[in-house]
Amino acid sequence: MPALSRRHFLGLGTATLGLLAVAWQTVGQLGSYPSLPFAAHTLTPKTAAILAVLGEWLLPPGGPLPGSGGDIDSLKMIDDFLGGLPAHHKMLILALPLLFEHGTALERFGADRLTAMAPDQQQAYLDRWFFSDEVLRAQLITALKIIWSPTYLDRADTQIAMGIPVLCGVAS
């Protein structure tokens, strides 16, 4: 096999970026999702549906903390958080849920989207991400957790449940 020249390498890189741009636009349009129950500034129905599933998995209801990571209050906090970010950071964070939503096809051709799976399948799929030995998967799970740190954990009801005095804002 002949060695790649810099010109060929740059050409392949440009073609790959073009393919990713087309895929981004195509994948972003796949699926139908319920409308949002609140007026969102940043979240689309698709992103909110995916984040609701991911939030329920990360911070499930019924524990010692109120609500869950996928409830309406958490989604509103995520929407507000994303609204305050620069456009390039916002785009990267909004791409992350799509990876989990359509990453099912990477595991198995023809697999359902994450939001179309049964809850037990969702749990198993996300657990495979969480318990993987792959560095990339671990980094993506960490990035996912970072979304809920300044949102769910910043909720007044969550802080009260954790015994942390609410310093910013009024507890409702």
Side-chain angles (χ1 to χ4, degrees):
M1 178 172 185
L4 284 177
S5 68
R6 284 186 198 167
R7 184 177 298 170
H8 286 112
F9 185 74
L10 289 174
L12 287 172
T14 303
T16 302
L17 285 175
L19 182 62
L20 286 173
V22 169
W24 169 261
Q25 291 302 317
T26 305
V27 168
Q29 306 305 319
L30 294 176
S32 62
Y33 301 87
S35 60
L36 289 168
F38 62 93
H41 306 288
T42 306
L43 295 180
T44 64
K46 179 176 187 163
T47 308
I50 301 166
L51 289 173
V53 170
L54 294 170
E56 293 287 318
W57 173 70
L58 281 173
L59 299 160
L65 298 177
S68 73
D71 64 13
I72 298 299
D73 291 335
S74 294
L75 293 175
K76 286 179 183 177
M77 294 286 289
I78 290 171
D79 187 55
D80 290 342
F81 169 69
L82 292 173
L85 292 178
H88 60 284
H89 289 152
K90 188 183 313 183
M91 187 213 50
L92 290 173
I93 290 177
L94 289 173
L96 184 63
L98 293 175
L99 177 70
F100 289 93
E101 174 76 340
H102 299 291
T104 55
L106 297 175
E107 284 198 343
R108 207 179 67 228
F109 181 73
D112 282 337
R113 308 180 320 268
L114 173 65
T115 55
M117 292 177 168
D120 59 327
Q121 290 176 317
Q122 291 173 344
Q123 179 77 32
Y125 168 69
L126 292 170
D127 284 350
R128 283 192 302 276
W129 276 85
F130 187 78
F131 294 110
S132 174
D133 291 338
E134 297 174 24
V135 173
L136 180 59
R137 285 183 182 229
Q139 289 174 331
L140 292 170
I141 289 292
T142 300
L144 198 62
K145 290 178 184 179
I146 288 172
I147 295 174
W148 275 269
S149 294
T151 56
Y152 179 79
L153 297 176
D154 201 35
R155 289 172 39 172
D157 58 347
T158 302
Q159 291 180 4
I160 290 169
M162 291 188 302
I164 298 171
V166 180
L167 300 176
C168 297
V170 178
S172 48

